[in-house]
Amino acid sequence: MNPRNGAQSLLDALATGGVDVCFANPGTSEMHFVAALDGAPGLRGVLALFEGVATGAADGYARIAGRPAAVLLHLGPGLGNGLANLHNARRAHVPMVLVVGDHAGYHKRYDAPLESDIDAVAHTVSGWVRRSATADEVADDAALAVSVSRAGQIATLILPADASWNAVRAADTDAGVPAAVLAGRAEPAATAAAMDTAAYWLRSSNPQTALLIGGDATDADGLAAAARIAEATGARLLCETFPTRLRRGAGVPPVERLGYFAEAAVAQLTGVTRLILAGARAPVSFFAYPGMASDLVPPGAEVLTLAGHRGAAAALAALADELAPGTTASPAPADRPTPPTGPLNALSLAAAVGATLPENAIVVDESMTAGMGLPAATAGAPAHDVLSITGGAIGYGLPAAIGAAIAAPDRPVLALQADGSAMYTISALWTHARENLDITTVILNNGAYDILRVELQRVGAENAAAPGPRAAELLDLGRPDLDFVQIAQGMGVPARRVGNAEDLAVALAESFAEPGPHLIEAMLPSIFSVAG
Amino acid sequence: MNPRNGAQSLLDALATGGVDVCFANPGTSEMHFVAALDGAPGLRGVLALFEGVATGAADGYARIAGRPAAVLLHLGPGLGNGLANLHNARRAHVPMVLVVGDHAGYHKRYDAPLESDIDAVAHTVSGWVRRSATADEVADDAALAVSVSRAGQIATLILPADASWNAVRAADTDAGVPAAVLAGRAEPAATAAAMDTAAYWLRSSNPQTALLIGGDATDADGLAAAARIAEATGARLLCETFPTRLRRGAGVPPVERLGYFAEAAVAQLTGVTRLILAGARAPVSFFAYPGMASDLVPPGAEVLTLAGHRGAAAALAALADELAPGTTASPAPADRPTPPTGPLNALSLAAAVGATLPENAIVVDESMTAGMGLPAATAGAPAHDVLSITGGAIGYGLPAAIGAAIAAPDRPVLALQADGSAMYTISALWTHARENLDITTVILNNGAYDILRVELQRVGAENAAAPGPRAAELLDLGRPDLDFVQIAQGMGVPARRVGNAEDLAVALAESFAEPGPHLIEAMLPSIFSVAG
């Protein structure tokens, strides 16, 4: 048998580590990785036409599969193109193995046109960065990358082309990494002191104690434990604004999300004197606004961090057994809206989703202003998972839907996608079609960056209530209007436009009934065109 | 009069510095900048739907206008999305003022969801980075940014939201920057020693001396000087592979470009014993390949750097006056191909371009493999400028065309755009339509990453000549086929598809005759589907 090269040993190590998908947008320096795919049947290569699609897909995959996917990018510009969704993944504590191809080691000193500082950029989003110097190091480095990524971080392996194409000398390619390291470490449990304090606060039965959950506590088990605690003690229960993965719907204990706008979050937290964080961080305003506080913890309130992103569900379960033994949480009742009729707006759109959402769907929510009616309208829909734009970098939804659909091929995926944000990574639709993924995309087309029209007012900019024509032009997506039906069809996704609520409900039902990708362009009014 | 805020003082400073366009993709932290546009009539705001469009547009603008445009991006993810075309701009020595909005200074310690290390990423592409701490600093910082960008580099101003919205206390906003700094510095002239050595080498009348030009030497004056030298001395004349801006066509002294593939470049340089660099760097292979040299300077050859990116034309002019006094360079004769007929392929496509190219066009060339016939077919077309993908980061062409068209509204722009590369920044088409730019885009649709199919063989990957199906799938853009006519129409650009050479020639002529944007999808065979 011929000696294996670095790329082949990399794919072996990924497979050994349980990585079974690689979202890829390769270039010349990655050709040996690509060539090696045919010898690695356990690793599925999925082509993205833009790197931000690949990184967003890997994020969506990890959130649903609970394990890392690999991503293959080309040099510094490829990493740059993938950076926005890597930012979201970092903020969501998502496991991911990022392989960035680089020039051959000996080639770097020539400062060829594509040379750039990959390491510096990679460090801004990665919990772990390593550069394999030789082919012999690749397998161990890859094994370590998979292992450390499991702690909920991006592990970046920079792979020089010669480390990829050279033959590996060592026979046992992962002998260097101890088994204990490869298995990954358990998250530290909540400390006894934190558990005691939380129990003491909660036993005070004080409605001014609030439990803010996030991380792994927004899955079914964590929600159940948190709800048992809240129900038994009267504590207020909230979850972070953009959870990594939120289980909700009929049969799942409900949780209110902290508002995106600081004013809303302040109102939700008013009167709280003790705040327990389980998987969430202390609440802060998404942006700063003149004259408003950044820190949303009510003045004078005590804050306790019970558990980090991982381990929150376990800490809450232990706390629930202590504070509310033998209880079960009250689940949300099944309760769908009736299919709506009449004009499309944020409320009728939400009702159409609530009326049609199939069992065990995955909802990727990048709906921005147009999605304001969704939480209420889907609260009693069949149980589903919601993935949200955790780091706030737009262009997440269409790529994340790819990963979610690949991680769970038997579950329907609904991508609720604002129009402006859709355009950042629109080529994701092509991958929806190529992989024949069961994704229903609803483009919420209101012809504007409505969220920025809101923000223009909120930041108190001069003439914000009536911006001048040149400012307004930068927030307007008209002239020309985007036609997402044509764009989607141009990438191979069947598409239709709907202009009223009943047509949207029918289109959703038909799309959910038929496997494969579909796009529905929902024509919505700008919130600024609706009289109060 | 109310005190001006930081954003307003920034726009004032840009206008004072001669910056008249800002390519923008703003977010919440940039709303005061946006609001200030209506009070800054000298600065045109141009909306891009993706940051890579904005940065590529600013690059194209600078290459044609010869001065910097501003770019407005939103936080770290916005900078990431703009990074690939910033890489191209850095490699092209393009002046650019990059404004990256950041959170308010006091907000940063809360590590809000969109917080990331903007500075680290900005340093990888910028020659100069500054963060304005207060509103009072913004005007001076912006004035300096404009000034230092003129040296041919990206000057990045990180603008915290509070520095933008707070009132400026100082009355004279640019008093802090000395006038000499604001005027910019002249590029150092070539040293006497370098001039003497070059003259000595060239006087030897040795055909083994070669002149490799780039930078400002590929404009008309530099080309004329270089050609005079070559004609008088017998030196070989070449220009760099991807010049920032290359003048060519009828009436312009022709220059051969160094080949992209190292084998071609090696052949062009064979026998050269003395290499003079004027605005170009010593030739290196674009990528490393197993068993091939990275350094393309022939073994044993002497290399002299006469001048850098700027100042090369002046050095060549002085040298020409010394070595070839009173001569004029031989221009390329006017010589167009006849309009082609028959099937479309790289040669007939090139002939259609050569037959129809209007006077003084700007050609943005990201044609990759499909453009191989262009240099010969357009050598005698009316004089035109070619912008090329200097840093090798794809997704450059459609954005750069925006900037070129805005810099020269009276000149037709032809974007020759490979299909795979087009998808990275496809939303640029929307800006073509919104600004009603006179851009003819030809999508070279061969349904594949053909360049990677070539590279797969060149890197010697296993089974490269007959890649396995899973490797082949990552290089194939079919299944589904992209329909660029629908995609373009969906973004408001009139489009048509052509399947033979005569239809392409007609479509080009009609598009050139009608102002505004047009897209022509030229259906080409993959080079791997054509029998040798």
Side-chain angles (χ1 to χ4, degrees):
Chain A
M1 185 177 129
N2 288 333
R4 297 178 76 66
N5 66 26
Q8 292 166 325
S9 78
L10 169 56
L11 298 201
D12 289 347
L14 292 176
T16 302
V19 176
D20 53 11
V21 183
C22 179
F23 298 98
N25 187 266
T28 298
S29 38
E30 292 73 53
M31 284 299 101
H32 285 84
F33 186 114
V34 169
L37 278 172
D38 282 281
L43 190 70
R44 174 177 177 183
V46 175
L47 178 61
L49 301 188
F50 174 70
E51 294 87 349
V53 175
T55 55
D59 177 331
Y61 178 91
R63 294 195 197 195
I64 296 301
R67 60 178 186 276
V71 176
L72 179 65
L73 302 181
H74 179 50
L75 294 160
L79 176 60
N81 283 336
L83 207 63
N85 275 329
L86 292 172
H87 171 84
N88 284 323
R90 173 171 78 90
R91 289 288 173 178
H93 297 266
V94 158
M96 191 185 301
V97 176
L98 178 61
V99 180
V100 183
D102 195 4
H103 286 307
Y106 64 83
H107 193 67
K108 290 185 73 64
R109 70 187 174 94
Y110 296 104
D111 195 28
L114 273 163
E115 180 68 32
S116 70
D117 192 344
I118 295 173
D119 304 70
V121 176
H123 274 288
T124 69
V125 287
S126 312
W128 180 96
V129 178
R130 184 162 293 193
R131 174 183 285 277
S132 295
T134 69
D136 292 331
E137 296 175 17
V138 171
D140 276 1
D141 289 347
L144 256 179
V146 176
S147 179
V148 300
S149 79
R150 289 221 185 81
Q153 61 186 349
I154 298 166
T156 299
L157 180 63
I158 302 173
L159 183 67
D162 53 346
S164 189
W165 74 50
N166 280 336
V168 174
R169 279 172 295 187
D172 181 356
T173 53
D174 63 359
V177 184
V181 172
L182 291 179
R185 290 176 194 283
E187 186 82 0
T191 65
M195 290 291 284
D196 286 348
T197 306
Y200 171 74
W201 285 6
L202 289 161
R203 276 213 179 85
S204 316
S205 279
N206 188 335
Q208 274 87 46
T209 297
L211 198 53
L212 180 63
I213 65 171
D216 67 5
T218 56
D219 208 344
D221 291 346
L223 288 169
R228 287 168 60 202
I229 295 167
E231 288 170 23
T233 65
R236 215 176 291 180
L237 177 60
L238 293 161
C239 84
E240 56 188 353
T241 308
F242 291 131
T244 298
R245 173 179 172 167
L246 173 63
R247 187 73 178 166
R248 62 192 301 276
V252 181
V255 63
E256 191 180 326
R257 281 163 69 173
L258 201 66
Y260 167 76
F261 290 126
E263 300 89 326
V266 165
Q268 289 170 299
L269 293 168
T270 295
V272 168
T273 57
R274 287 170 167 172
L275 180 62
I276 300 171
L277 305 172
R281 299 172 56 205
V284 299
S285 177
F286 210 82
F287 291 103
Y289 300 94
M292 291 184 56
S294 293
D295 184 353
L296 301 183
V297 176
E302 293 179 280
V303 178
L304 171 72
T305 298
L306 177 67
H309 195 87
R310 300 196 313 159
L316 290 171
L319 210 51
D321 287 344
E322 180 180 345
L323 298 173
T327 64
T328 54
S330 304
D335 177 27
R336 283 174 180 275
T338 53
T341 58
L344 264 182
N345 53 43
L347 294 182
S348 62
L349 173 124
V353 172
T356 59
L357 197 67
E359 187 67 46
N360 206 22
I362 299 166
V363 179
V364 182
D365 184 0
E366 188 167 311
S367 56
M368 318 295 277
T369 56
M372 61 178 74
L374 288 165
T378 57
H384 55 280
D385 286 298
V386 176
L387 310 188
S388 59
I389 176 173
T390 311
I394 57 179
Y396 172 74
L398 300 182
I402 294 169
I406 287 177
D410 53 338
R411 297 179 62 182
V413 175
L414 172 63
L416 297 170
Q417 180 62 57
D419 51 352
S421 307
M423 292 304 292
Y424 289 72
T425 47
I426 191 71
S427 73
L429 292 173
W430 181 85
T431 302
H432 293 193
R434 164 168 278 199
E435 300 291 331
N436 194 33
L437 302 174
D438 194 13
I439 301 171
T440 297
T441 296
V442 181
I443 299 286
L444 311 169
N445 188 344
N446 60 14
Y449 291 122
D450 254 15
I451 183 75
L452 292 183
R453 291 175 170 174
V454 176
E455 296 285 25
L456 185 71
Q457 303 200 3
R458 297 183 70 242
V459 300
E462 200 169 4
N463 305 320
R470 302 178 65 232
E473 191 170 56
L474 291 194
L475 311 180
D476 170 27
L477 297 174
R479 215 173 52 77
D481 294 329
L482 289 161
D483 180 337
F484 284 95
V485 171
Q486 288 210 66
I487 293 171
Q489 288 174 344
M491 299 188 202
V493 172
R496 68 171 115 174
R497 174 177 287 187
V498 297
N500 61 51
E502 49 270 40
D503 287 352
L504 174 59
V506 167
L508 281 168
E510 291 181 359
S511 175
F512 291 137
E514 182 178 273
H518 297 84
L519 183 138
I520 302 164
E521 182 177 29
M523 304 308 289
L524 290 161
S526 161
I527 55 177
F528 288 86
S529 64
V530 182
Chain B
M1 187 178 128
N2 287 331
R4 297 178 77 67
N5 65 27
Q8 291 166 325
S9 78
L10 170 55
L11 299 201
D12 290 346
L14 292 177
T16 302
V19 176
D20 54 10
V21 184
C22 179
F23 299 98
N25 187 266
T28 298
S29 38
E30 292 73 54
M31 283 299 101
H32 284 84
F33 186 115
V34 169
L37 279 172
D38 283 282
L43 190 70
R44 174 178 177 182
V46 176
L47 178 61
L49 301 187
F50 174 70
E51 294 86 347
V53 174
T55 54
D59 177 331
Y61 178 90
R63 294 195 198 195
I64 295 300
R67 60 180 185 274
V71 177
L72 180 66
L73 302 181
H74 179 50
L75 294 161
L79 177 60
N81 282 337
L83 207 62
N85 275 329
L86 292 172
H87 171 83
N88 284 323
R90 173 171 78 91
R91 288 288 175 177
H93 298 266
V94 159
M96 191 186 302
V97 176
L98 178 62
V99 180
V100 183
D102 195 5
H103 286 308
Y106 63 84
H107 192 67
K108 290 185 72 65
R109 70 189 174 94
Y110 297 104
D111 195 29
L114 273 164
E115 180 68 33
S116 69
D117 192 344
I118 296 173
D119 305 71
V121 176
H123 275 288
T124 68
V125 288
S126 311
W128 180 97
V129 178
R130 183 162 295 191
R131 173 182 286 276
S132 294
T134 70
D136 292 332
E137 296 176 16
V138 170
D140 276 0
D141 288 348
L144 257 179
V146 176
S147 180
V148 301
S149 79
R150 290 223 184 81
Q153 61 186 348
I154 297 166
T156 299
L157 181 62
I158 302 174
L159 183 67
D162 53 347
S164 190
W165 74 51
N166 281 335
V168 174
R169 280 173 294 188
D172 182 355
T173 53
D174 63 359
V177 184
V181 172
L182 292 178
R185 289 176 196 284
E187 186 82 358
T191 65
M195 289 290 284
D196 285 349
T197 306
Y200 172 74
W201 285 7
L202 289 161
R203 277 215 178 86
S204 315
S205 278
N206 188 336
Q208 273 87 48
T209 297
L211 197 51
L212 179 62
I213 66 172
D216 67 5
T218 56
D219 207 343
D221 292 345
L223 289 169
R228 286 169 61 203
I229 295 167
E231 289 170 22
T233 66
R236 216 176 290 182
L237 176 60
L238 293 162
C239 85
E240 56 188 353
T241 308
F242 290 131
T244 297
R245 173 179 173 168
L246 173 64
R247 188 74 179 167
R248 62 193 300 277
V252 181
V255 62
E256 190 180 326
R257 281 163 70 173
L258 202 65
Y260 169 76
F261 290 126
E263 299 90 322
V266 165
Q268 289 169 300
L269 293 167
T270 296
V272 168
T273 55
R274 288 169 165 171
L275 180 62
I276 300 171
L277 305 172
R281 297 172 57 206
V284 300
S285 178
F286 211 82
F287 292 103
Y289 299 95
M292 290 184 56
S294 293
D295 184 352
L296 301 182
V297 176
E302 292 178 278
V303 178
L304 170 71
T305 298
L306 176 67
H309 195 84
R310 300 195 314 159
L316 290 172
L319 210 50
D321 286 343
E322 179 181 345
L323 297 173
T327 62
T328 55
S330 306
D335 178 27
R336 283 173 180 277
T338 53
T341 59
L344 263 183
N345 54 45
L347 294 181
S348 62
L349 173 124
V353 172
T356 59
L357 196 68
E359 187 66 44
N360 207 23
I362 299 166
V363 179
V364 182
D365 183 2
E366 188 167 312
S367 56
M368 316 295 277
T369 55
M372 63 177 73
L374 288 165
T378 58
H384 56 280
D385 286 298
V386 176
L387 310 188
S388 59
I389 176 174
T390 311
I394 56 179
Y396 171 74
L398 300 181
I402 293 170
I406 286 177
D410 54 337
R411 298 178 63 182
V413 176
L414 172 64
L416 297 170
Q417 180 61 58
D419 51 353
S421 307
M423 293 304 292
Y424 288 72
T425 48
I426 191 71
S427 73
L429 291 174
W430 182 84
T431 302
H432 292 194
R434 165 168 276 199
E435 301 291 333
N436 194 33
L437 302 174
D438 194 14
I439 300 171
T440 297
T441 296
V442 181
I443 299 286
L444 310 169
N445 188 345
N446 61 16
Y449 290 122
D450 254 15
I451 184 75
L452 292 183
R453 291 175 170 173
V454 176
E455 296 285 23
L456 185 71
Q457 302 200 1
R458 297 184 69 241
V459 301
E462 200 169 5
N463 305 321
R470 302 178 65 234
E473 191 169 57
L474 291 195
L475 312 181
D476 171 27
L477 297 175
R479 214 173 52 76
D481 293 327
L482 289 161
D483 180 336
F484 284 94
V485 170
Q486 289 208 66
I487 294 171
Q489 288 173 345
M491 298 188 202
V493 172
R496 67 171 113 174
R497 175 177 285 187
V498 298
N500 62 50
E502 48 270 39
D503 288 352
L504 174 59
V506 168
L508 281 167
E510 291 181 0
S511 176
F512 290 137
E514 183 177 272
H518 298 85
L519 183 139
I520 302 164
E521 182 177 29
M523 305 306 289
L524 290 162
S526 161
I527 54 177
F528 289 86
S529 64
V530 183

